[in-house]
Amino acid sequence: MDESVPGPWSVDPATLLQLRIDKAKQAYQRQDFDNAFVEAEELLDDHPTHPEGLLISGQAALAMGDSTTALAALSLYTEHHSPTAEVLLTLAAAAFESVDFPRAVDFAEQATRLQPDLAEAWYYMGMAMERQGQIDAATQRFERAA
């Protein structure tokens, strides 16, 4: 039997994909980050570069305090998809939490180029610069964030 054609008791692959996406999104919206991460990872098992799977996986990992996994998922996202300011902001936060301050600044700068009024990106940029001893530059970023 051809596995690409659903049988009478199987679920169409596109429907199964959409169900996984929906379950992951719903869990994330409920702030049930463990389940959001699990659903996103299940989706990524079958579709390793799926944009929503990578995004939810990265965001949920960061929300659970796993900045390393968040960086991995969102970096893979940027390798295969055009990043939005939100994705770059999440990468900046993950890099900051991973104590990779130069990358945090880089991601935050990229985010502000796409969306200049993104206060959180200016804030993370300032925090990372402050940690690197760039106090004057950090102060300017904090003022911009405010």
Side-chain angles (χ1 to χ4, degrees):
M1 181 173 178
D2 183 1
E3 290 186 21
S4 65
V5 177
W9 291 278
S10 65
V11 178
D12 174 59
T15 301
L16 186 58
L17 174 64
Q18 192 57 52
L19 288 169
R20 284 224 184 273
I21 293 169
D22 292 345
K23 282 188 78 171
K25 283 181 179 179
Q26 290 166 5
Y28 188 81
Q29 289 169 349
R30 288 191 315 271
Q31 297 185 358
D32 182 1
F33 302 122
D34 288 335
N35 282 323
F37 182 78
V38 168
E39 287 298 329
E41 288 296 310
E42 289 288 330
L43 185 155
L44 292 170
D45 281 346
D46 294 330
H47 307 277
T49 61
H50 192 279
E52 289 176 288
L54 290 169
L55 184 59
I56 294 168
S57 178
Q59 290 173 326
L62 185 60
M64 293 185 299
D66 185 351
S67 57
T68 303
T69 299
L71 274 172
L74 296 171
S75 293
L76 186 58
Y77 179 101
T78 64
E79 289 175 25
H80 295 279
H81 311 284
S82 296
T84 63
E86 178 185 322
V87 169
L88 293 165
L89 170 61
T90 306
L91 273 163
F96 181 82
E97 294 297 325
S98 295
V99 194
D100 188 346
F101 303 130
R103 282 181 76 197
V105 170
D106 181 51
F107 290 132
E109 286 176 337
Q110 289 179 55
T112 59
R113 280 196 294 275
L114 291 177
Q115 190 176 337
D117 64 341
L118 190 58
E120 284 180 274
W122 291 105
Y123 174 77
Y124 274 107
M125 199 183 317
M127 294 288 287
M129 289 175 158
E130 182 181 65
R131 298 305 191 282
Q132 295 177 90
Q134 301 168 357
I135 305 305
D136 291 338
T139 300
Q140 291 173 354
R141 297 333 185 264
F142 291 138
E143 288 171 359
R144 183 73 189 259

